[in-house]
């Protein structure tokens, strides 16, 4: 299904000239249907607040068992849903596991309902029907009509403040609900504690503590109304409330300003005139309610909703203008929406004054850098952070500093694996923060203490108690008996080790280089020449039995099968080709990945792998194969990279709500799109080279933070002309299908000459 | 049962001269049997840490219902128990409801057990048998042999640091358990969250959040060992732990330094030589782990256990030396133990740098005063705070400042009712903080903003949404339909209102004086002349039916019957006498209170009223009648006050573990003892007069903070000579049986001449 292209019209009032208003091409609705797991709501670039509608509040458990439907709601919103439960302030963008959904706000009129109700029973609770016809989603702006109440909801945000504007009908029974129970990946015990103070008739403060994917997480808030409420109250839905004691002296449910409990929903009542707007500013803080109040005052003075929206959209234009492209309108929507999705995560995680709560649950102050959180590193080390090294070098360097601060606070002496809100959830495998750090160092974007950074990488990689590292160091691979993902984790460690070696080389530490370059060849230890695939191996050296290269279950690979993972030697494709029997056999094998048909049964094995994201047996919807189409560059048939990249771009990205074939994964899918559309890709982050693909636009101008400009001029490009005939860098023919990072950062011009026939 | 007097021997090494070592008379074991609810452990005066053995960890619930046995364990220790579960760091002294019991430590040897086991099955868990023969309890020192492990445990404390010294047998399997689940008035959901970091092999930090009697309470800690442990671990006893996710990468139960959860017990392993001492310093903070660490460093450098103990005992001697008495040894034990119990609560509630967490859960800094918590005001306004106005004026003034800070943080605009750890649990009735504040103002001990204080009192007393105040203001009493304690609460409000009036008078606010002096006569509205008792009254003006002046159930009185509560007009006994039919009928009635026999059935109605604390129908074990024996002073038979006071002193206080006939209630019972023993009592706090009783010692010298000395010389006093014949103040005969506060504070000499016959 294709979604109508409407944003351009809506933005016309904001800014006229196309080049200065790329935000008008941003369509946040892309990826909100099925697998993309993006959200349509409002956020500024890398903003702490992600204010977005939640269309359901699925429980993590159903009848005491994991409820698989919860996976759909990682971002809180599914396009096919007919109702909106409310608008909450924190969301992951594109993840395959989730958390957050803090502080859900819902405006209603009529009889007060404090239960959300269920989707199958409209009007059973405070949720409201809505229609996409009455929905607008732009960069930092979201609007929807809540049909059940005839309320128009509008959302925008600053970095730390969500701003709501609700246009009410005439009512003497209007409510704004603050739901402290609602959450994403929710379950009954997830709320550890919530605390609310009604400071006066327009100001509420408080916090919510959860034990979810983040084990120990607290978010503080300050909420202010544009108009005083006339009464308020709350209901405590906890099943158990002992020790009520003398609290019964008060009617705690009505106009009682000191609320606390595990399961609270509060409401605030108003009389409204027809068309009256009630606005809310909702500030967050990782540290304290005072911090939230200070953030509120610093970022969102006054009540001019449109001004705040314009400021937010100007921030987007600033970021998106870093790349101006010449392409058709549809392509621009894809491109700028990809940039939008790439520039959401990691998110700022500190108050306006730099304060944040660390892994140790103590308050810290970020000095000299902006502290970020939400590092989905198994995904984002691949293309997102490399993209940042080109387009967001300052932020990427700050992100590394944030990771090093996390390391300092870690008693496990580990860099983050998958971290958010001062926690590590340890999701997925590898220690890919080292790849992010090494890539920054190798590319000369290391505005941090590199000695300390190298030490943090090495210490992390030597932690023998972490997921088979001990065995990996001892025997060169992780035995299958040790962990379920022994083969893929061995492959990932080997790549990460290579990244450490590159960093060590750059920093003049041959001792460390030697140690880790040796470890980086460990992929060889899980290659089974008898089958020609990577394969889980037992402690005694034999390979694991019942081998099925197509299965993702119990084969020793994480979210992938051996067929895909066998290509995971990004650090040395040449050696992989040798291992696999040389150029011809490798090409044949690589071809088969794209051309074979994966039998149905394999799709039921892994949540993150669906038909949406698959081409043959090539899984684009999940990360492990993101570099694979570029591997033809190491063979004698690089033109196959070119045609496959264009094919993937076409098949896996479009402008409908289902426009993403897999989880966007905090921007990794989008970063792949941006690189590939520009014509090159970082196959092995921590290398200073990009592999050339096939650019899919006519021209792109990169305005770099260092003041330089890098122009990519694509001659004769079309849907058919996908084959690179010749490339010139600053007027000189590029001698190979590889581009140096330095060439980009120095500024200059790269000219692609395209044709409809491969250069064989 | 009488307990052997042993402390004097143990103290001999500390200090020789009797006058400078009153601490040797302190016997913390008094009150630990049955109803006293005191604890035998270590604390300094008003110390933040109360480190004491817990003999059981009774659950609040049994088969889903309230477990009445839990009441016995308000202080964690019951003298008749045979086992000790461990040593925890926070305890209320003498309360009738409870909380706390944070951070239980238990040393063991042999197989590791992480369940406490049960008292009826010795060796079923980590608890140990002990015997009183091997137990020493002194001011700031506790020692016991843990028989099951042959470990000698010794405890002492600074203000914010608990110090443990465990003498082990030889063992290669010694453990120190840190139990984060254990607590007082415990139940499964009480722990909201606990968080532990093993910073290195001698330092642990963390916090515990509970939802108990204090709704939202967090205590932070820093724990350090004198010797590195060789390994450590923990067990998570939570029934539900979802979202374990990728945490399974670690063995979280062994040597895993980042623990968190709702139900954790951690352990630390050692090898010990025969007789080896392992010491622990355990610092608390209401604010942060850094705060706890700073407290640790500030208060307890080094590892000299005996020095810390000596310093703590010196602090006690400093406080106890404020009154030196001449009396027999038994009397000295009673007296100094009473002073000890009176000088425990309220407790310091701030870090060494003045930081504390407020009612708003924000961090505050106490500027210019020491912040205190644990205000059991229904009890302590009567005699404890008046005692402080004589012996601890600086602290009492700081306590008022702490109450005013609480008021500032209260969105209900209420002074504390029963507050602890930045919470109000609203226990009992009245708004007696106003009596504490008024008493301080009237007595000229108002080193705080009196205008603000008066405003806080008035605002509290005008809060119409609080426990019937609205109706009380409107109709002059609280209708019985409104609350279950309508009669006694009306009486208490009327007294409190009188206290506000006195303060207003002193501060020159006739408007407020007039308003509240009028309210102070409201006791008349619940007096039923047809029965001659105070009686619950319905909204329509009729009195509640089924009147039983002896019953404490459903009669409209809190923890007391009408017979006792009918005497509760401390602000105007003369008017009460009139109301009750004049001098003769009143005396007769008052006599009956002491001489009648209360039928058995009435003892089952109220936890706080037991045979231990009753003389006739006079309930000394609970507070409402504490002033009653002094009321004869307003009749023509004041000598009956004298004989009854001596009788109560004799019957209700002795030096055995069961030496207190009722809950000490944060020192109120002890303060009654001190006043009465010295010969006078504050019948109506906020009056500047004390009613004379019958001094029970031969001489007392009060060394006041203002440098003055007040001597009470009691001539011819003996067990028989309880009747006051004459009193001279500074050589002049005291014209009445009332003593002015000022007379004490100016210093001087009060001479009692006693005889064996009443002066009629």
């Amino acid at each position: 299904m294709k979604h109508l292209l409407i944003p351009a019209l809506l933005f016309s009032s904001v800014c006229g000239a196309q080049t200065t208003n790329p935000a008008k091409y941003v369509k946040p609705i892309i990826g909100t249907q099925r697998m993309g797991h993006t959200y349509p709501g409002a956020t500024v670039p890398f903003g702490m607040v992600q204010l977005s509608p939640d269309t359901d509040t699925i429980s993590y458990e159903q009848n005491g068992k994991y409820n698989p439907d919860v996976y759909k709601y990682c971002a809180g919103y599914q396009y096919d849903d007919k109702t909106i439960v409310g608008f909450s302030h924190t969301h992951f963008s594109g993840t395959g596991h989730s958390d957050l959904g803090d502080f859900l706000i819902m405006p209603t009129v009529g009889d007060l309902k404090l239960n959300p109700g269920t989707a199958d029973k409209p009007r059973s609770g405070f949720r409201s029907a809505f229609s996409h016809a009455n929905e607008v989603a732009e960069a930092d702006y979201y609007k929807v009509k809540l049909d059940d109440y005839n309320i128009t909801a509008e959302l925008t945000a600053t970095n730390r403040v969500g701003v709501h504007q609700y246009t009410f009908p005439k009512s003497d029974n209007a409510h704004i609900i603050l739901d402290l129970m609602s959450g994403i990946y929710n379950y009954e015990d997830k709320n550890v504690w919530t605390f609310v103070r009604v400071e006066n008739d327009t100001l509420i403060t408080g916090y919510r503590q959860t034990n979810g994917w983040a084990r120990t997480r607290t978010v503080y808030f300050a909420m202010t109304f544009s108009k005083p409420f006339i009464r308020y109250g709350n209901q405590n839905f906890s099943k158990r409330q002992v020790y009520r004691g003398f609290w019964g002296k008060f009617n705690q449910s009505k106009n009682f300003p000191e609320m606390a409990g595990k399961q609270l929903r509060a409401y605030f009542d108003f009389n409204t005139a027809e068309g009256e707007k009630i606005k809310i500013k909702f500030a967050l803080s990782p540290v304290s309610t005072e911090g939230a109040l200070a953030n509120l005052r610093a970022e969102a003075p006054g009540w001019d909703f449109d001004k705040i929206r314009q400021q937010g959209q100007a921030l987007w234009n600033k970021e998106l203008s870093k790349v101006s492209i010449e392409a058709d309108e549809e392509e621009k929507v894809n491109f700028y929406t990809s940039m939008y999705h790439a520039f959401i995560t990691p998110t700022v995680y500190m108050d306006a004054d730099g304060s944040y709560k660390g892994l140790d649950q103590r308050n810290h102050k970020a000095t000299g850098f902006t502290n970020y959180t939400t590092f989905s590193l198994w995904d984002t080390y691949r293309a997102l952070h490399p993209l940042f090294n080109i387009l967001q070098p300052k932020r990427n360097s700050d992100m590394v500093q944030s990771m090093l601060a996390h390391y300092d606070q870690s008693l496990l002496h580990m860099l983050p694996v998958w971290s958010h809100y001062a926690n590590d959830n340890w999701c997925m495998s590898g220690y890919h923060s080292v790849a992010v750090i090494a890539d920054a160092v190798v590319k000369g974007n290391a505005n941090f203490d590199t000695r300390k950074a190298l030490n943090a990488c090495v210490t992390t990689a030597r932690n023998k108690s972490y997921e088979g590292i001990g065995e990996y160091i001892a025997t060169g691979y992780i035995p299958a008996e040790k962990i379920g993902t022994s083969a893929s984790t061995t492959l990932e460690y080997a790549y990460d080790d290579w990244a450490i070696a590159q960093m060590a080389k750059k920093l003049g530490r041959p001792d460390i280089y030697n140690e880790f370059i040796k470890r980086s060849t460990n992929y060889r230890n899980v290659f089974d020449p008898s089958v020609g695939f990577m394969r889980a191996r037992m402690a005694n050296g034999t390979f694991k039995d019942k081998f099925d290269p197509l299965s993702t279950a119990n084969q020793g690979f994480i979210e992938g099968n051996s067929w895909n993972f066998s290509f995971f030697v990004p650090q040395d494709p040449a050696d992989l080709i040798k291992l696999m029997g040389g150029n011809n056999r490798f090409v044949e094998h690589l071809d088969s990945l794209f051309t074979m048909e994966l039998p149905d049964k394999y799709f039921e094995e892994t949540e993150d792998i669906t038909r949406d994201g698959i081409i043959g047996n090539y899984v684009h919807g999940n990360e492990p194969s993101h570099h694979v189409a570029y591997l033809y560059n190491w063979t004698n048939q690089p033109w196959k990279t070119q045609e496959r990249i264009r094919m993937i771009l076409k098949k896996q990205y479009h402008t409908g709500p289902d426009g993403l074939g897999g989880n966007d994964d905090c921007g990794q899918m989008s970063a792949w799109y941006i690189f590939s559309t520009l014509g090159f890709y970082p196959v092995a982050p921590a290398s200073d080279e990009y592999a050339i693909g096939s650019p899919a636009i006519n021209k792109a101008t990169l305005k770099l933070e260092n003041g330089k400009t890098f122009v990519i001029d694509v001659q004769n490009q079309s849907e058919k002309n996908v084959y690179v005939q010749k490339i010139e860098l600053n007027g000189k023919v590029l001698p190979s299908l590889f581009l140096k990072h330095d060439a980009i950062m120095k500024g200059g011009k790269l000219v692609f000459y395209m044709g409809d026939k491969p250069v064989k």
Side-chain angles (χ1 to χ4, degrees), chain A:
Chain A
M1 173 181 156
K2 295 252 175 176
H3 197 69
L4 281 174
L5 181 65
I6 43 173
L9 296 171
L10 294 161
F11 264 86
S12 55
S13 65
V14 178
C15 198
Q18 175 192 313
T19 46
T20 58
N21 187 16
K24 73 175 178 181
Y25 294 108
V26 171
K27 227 178 122 182
I29 210 76
I30 293 175
T32 60
Q33 196 171 27
R34 295 215 289 277
M35 291 297 293
H37 291 188
T38 55
Y39 58 80
T43 186
V44 297
F46 307 97
M48 191 155 89
V49 164
Q50 307 89 33
L51 176 55
S52 188
D54 294 325
T55 58
D56 227 320
T57 50
I58 293 286
S59 173
Y60 178 82
E61 286 174 312
Q62 214 169 32
N63 308 322
K65 285 189 178 172
Y66 171 68
N67 175 3
D69 270 359
V70 75
Y71 176 73
K72 283 171 65 184
Y73 291 93
C74 285
Y77 183 98
Q78 272 292 348
Y79 190 83
D80 291 339
D81 287 348
K82 305 299 179 206
T83 58
I84 281 173
V85 180
F87 308 96
S88 71
H89 291 81
T90 55
H91 293 85
F92 287 141
S93 181
T95 53
H97 198 299
S98 199
D99 203 343
L100 316 183
D102 300 295
F103 311 121
L104 183 126
I105 299 282
M106 184 67 177
T108 70
V109 292
D111 289 345
L112 177 69
K113 295 172 193 162
L114 285 180
N115 260 303
T118 55
D120 56 336
K121 289 183 191 155
R123 297 182 177 264
S124 59
F126 60 72
R127 71 173 66 211
S128 170
F130 78 108
S131 126
H132 295 301
N134 297 322
E135 189 184 33
V136 176
E138 299 174 4
D140 203 28
Y141 179 67
Y142 178 84
K143 179 181 179 179
V144 73
K145 189 170 156 228
L146 300 170
D147 291 336
D148 289 1
Y149 306 114
N150 193 25
I151 293 170
T152 297
E154 293 172 278
L155 312 174
T156 187
T158 69
N159 192 346
R160 299 169 180 89
V161 185
V163 185
H164 308 238
Q165 177 167 276
Y166 297 117
T167 306
F168 279 85
K170 179 170 168 52
S171 172
D172 56 3
N173 205 13
H175 319 283
I176 287 175
I177 294 164
L178 167 60
D179 184 344
L180 292 149
M181 296 165 63
S182 186
I184 296 175
Y185 256 81
N186 218 15
Y187 66 98
E188 201 201 328
D189 293 352
K190 186 173 173 181
N191 264 15
V192 166
W193 199 243
T194 54
F195 187 87
V196 177
R197 281 168 66 86
V198 183
E199 307 269 358
N200 58 48
D201 62 4
T202 57
L203 177 65
I204 328 293
T205 62
Y207 61 79
R208 165 169 135 119
Q209 281 176 273
T210 55
N211 168 31
W213 207 31
R215 193 175 56 164
T216 303
R217 189 174 73 95
T218 308
V219 189
Y220 301 82
F221 74 88
M223 173 191 191
T224 178
F225 293 103
S226 61
K227 170 182 175 168
F229 47 80
I230 52 176
R231 60 184 170 265
Y232 65 100
N234 77 96
Q235 193 173 339
N236 191 331
F237 289 83
S238 296
K239 283 192 190 145
R240 280 168 56 92
Q241 286 181 73
V242 290
Y243 274 146
R244 300 265 307 176
F246 289 85
W247 282 83
K249 289 181 176 184
F250 302 99
N251 179 347
Q252 285 187 68
S253 62
K254 283 195 180 156
N255 299 319
F256 188 77
E258 298 184 349
M259 310 170 196
K262 291 183 186 173
Q263 301 289 340
L264 292 181
R265 291 196 183 100
Y267 63 92
F268 304 89
D269 290 347
F270 300 85
N271 295 333
T272 52
E274 179 64 34
E276 181 173 353
K277 288 175 166 53
I278 295 179
K279 300 170 200 176
I280 297 168
K281 295 187 290 195
F282 201 107
L284 302 185
S285 164
V287 167
S288 64
T289 54
E290 300 102 303
L293 272 169
N295 293 339
L296 185 69
R297 292 186 192 115
E299 294 186 0
W303 285 106
D304 190 339
F305 181 91
D306 292 334
K307 188 177 159 195
I308 293 169
R309 171 188 171 189
Q310 279 160 28
Q311 288 168 342
Q313 296 190 325
L315 289 175
W316 275 115
N317 273 323
K318 185 178 164 230
E319 297 299 339
L320 301 175
S321 297
K322 288 179 172 175
V323 184
S324 54
I325 62 167
E326 286 177 20
D328 67 29
E329 297 292 288
E330 179 92 357
E331 189 60 54
K332 281 183 179 170
V333 171
N334 267 329
F335 191 87
Y336 285 111
T337 303
S338 291
M339 279 189 68
Y340 168 83
H341 281 143
F343 291 173
I344 287 177
T345 317
T347 54
V348 169
Y349 179 66
M350 64 178 205
D351 281 341
D353 74 351
S355 299
Y356 70 96
K357 202 187 283 285
L359 196 61
D360 49 10
Q361 295 295 307
R362 292 178 185 155
N363 293 343
H364 296 266
K365 208 145 192 175
T367 309
F369 70 102
T370 298
N371 193 55
Y372 288 90
T373 194
T374 304
F375 290 99
S376 181
L377 292 159
W378 185 80
D379 306 298
T380 58
Y381 84 89
R382 300 167 200 262
L384 185 69
H385 287 283
L387 182 69
F388 290 164
N389 275 328
I390 298 173
L391 296 178
Q392 301 282 0
K394 166 75 172 78
R395 289 189 202 267
N396 200 62
S397 197
D398 283 359
M399 288 166 194
V400 170
Q401 294 218 49
S402 306
M403 290 156 68
L404 293 175
H406 173 114
Y407 173 82
D408 283 343
Q409 294 152 16
S410 162
L411 290 171
L412 295 160
H413 309 297
M414 296 278 290
L415 283 159
V417 169
W418 205 125
S419 69
H420 71 286
Y421 285 73
N423 284 266
D424 205 320
N425 59 54
W426 307 108
C427 185
M428 305 307 286
S429 48
Y431 29 80
H432 300 301
S433 45
V434 310
V436 173
I437 296 172
D439 194 51
V441 168
V442 166
K443 289 175 180 166
N445 181 32
N447 187 22
F448 47 81
D449 182 340
T450 52
R451 220 171 65 113
K452 179 178 161 178
L454 179 62
N455 178 57
C457 292
V458 166
T459 304
T460 300
R462 285 182 188 150
N463 186 334
K464 291 183 185 173
S465 70
Y466 184 73
E467 213 182 16
I469 292 180
E471 292 78 0
Y472 171 83
I473 290 172
T475 65
Y477 64 95
I478 306 171
E481 297 95 327
K482 179 73 186 174
I483 59 169
T485 62
S486 61
S488 61
T489 301
T490 297
L491 295 171
E492 295 187 27
Y493 286 170
Y495 159 71
D496 286 337
D497 291 342
W498 175 84
I500 293 174
Q502 302 315 301
M503 174 170 31
K505 191 162 128 193
K506 173 110 180 187
L507 298 175
R509 286 295 302 272
D511 52 330
I512 292 174
Y513 174 82
N514 290 334
E515 175 185 346
F516 282 90
I517 203 70
K518 184 162 177 290
R519 284 170 55 152
S520 78
T521 61
N522 279 342
Y523 60 87
R524 294 176 190 157
N525 299 329
V526 288
F527 185 78
D528 179 1
S530 76
V531 293
F533 285 99
M534 300 294 176
R535 184 171 175 184
R537 196 169 183 186
M538 309 302 286
N540 67 8
T542 64
F543 287 95
K544 193 168 180 284
D545 60 2
K546 296 182 186 159
F547 180 64
D548 177 349
L550 293 178
S551 172
T552 56
N554 304 317
Q555 291 288 324
F557 299 90
I558 193 163
E559 290 188 7
N561 59 25
S562 171
W563 211 296
N564 277 272
F565 257 111
S566 290
F567 294 108
F568 194 82
V569 188
Q571 69 271 37
D572 199 348
D575 190 54
L576 176 67
I577 290 167
K578 216 186 294 172
L579 216 54
M580 282 193 163
N583 183 81
N584 293 0
R585 285 193 60 180
F586 181 81
V587 168
E588 207 174 294
H589 191 54
L590 195 47
D591 284 346
S592 74
L593 184 72
F594 293 98
T595 56
M596 71 190 297
E597 193 65 36
L598 195 62
D600 280 348
K601 66 168 180 170
Y602 293 110
F603 287 97
E604 286 155 25
E605 296 175 344
T606 301
E607 254 177 352
D608 285 70
I609 299 171
T610 67
R611 287 216 174 276
D612 287 358
I614 284 207
I615 299 166
N617 175 23
Y618 167 78
V619 183
H620 190 72
N622 207 16
E623 277 69 16
S625 305
H626 273 192
H627 67 293
V628 168
Y630 286 93
L631 293 182
Y632 289 106
N633 273 18
W634 278 264
T635 74
N636 62 357
Q637 301 180 33
W639 54 270
K640 283 189 175 168
T641 285
Q642 296 154 26
E643 66 180 29
R644 299 227 191 275
I645 293 301
R646 294 296 286 265
M647 181 263 292
I648 297 167
L649 282 172
K650 208 171 157 67
K651 287 205 177 179
Q652 290 287 310
Y653 299 87
H654 64 81
T655 59
D658 62 343
L660 290 174
N663 303 157
D664 194 53
D665 283 320
C666 295
Q668 166 58 26
M669 280 282 277
S670 292
W672 190 96
Y673 177 89
I674 295 163
F675 269 120
S676 293
T677 298
L678 294 177
F680 53 95
Y681 188 83
V683 167
S687 154
D688 65 347
E689 277 190 341
Y690 301 93
I692 295 291
S694 172
I697 32 85
N698 299 329
K699 190 177 177 186
T701 305
L702 279 55
K703 287 176 209 110
L704 306 174
E705 275 182 14
N706 61 12
K708 304 286 169 65
T709 298
F710 186 70
V711 176
I712 299 162
D713 187 4
V714 191
Q715 298 289 329
N716 205 31
Q717 185 271 133
S718 73
E719 215 167 306
K720 282 185 178 171
N721 295 346
V722 302
Y723 298 104
V724 175
Q725 311 294 309
K726 186 176 73 170
I727 307 175
E728 287 172 359
L729 176 64
N730 301 327
K732 285 185 184 165
V733 172
L734 202 67
S736 74
L737 288 171
F738 294 94
L739 176 68
K740 288 275 184 190
H741 178 74
D742 202 33
I744 300 169
M745 301 315 282
K746 280 196 292 199
K749 190 170 185 180
L750 187 71
V751 185
F752 285 89
Y753 297 91
M754 307 301 286
D756 62 357
K757 296 213 168 50
V759 179
K760 295 196 179 177

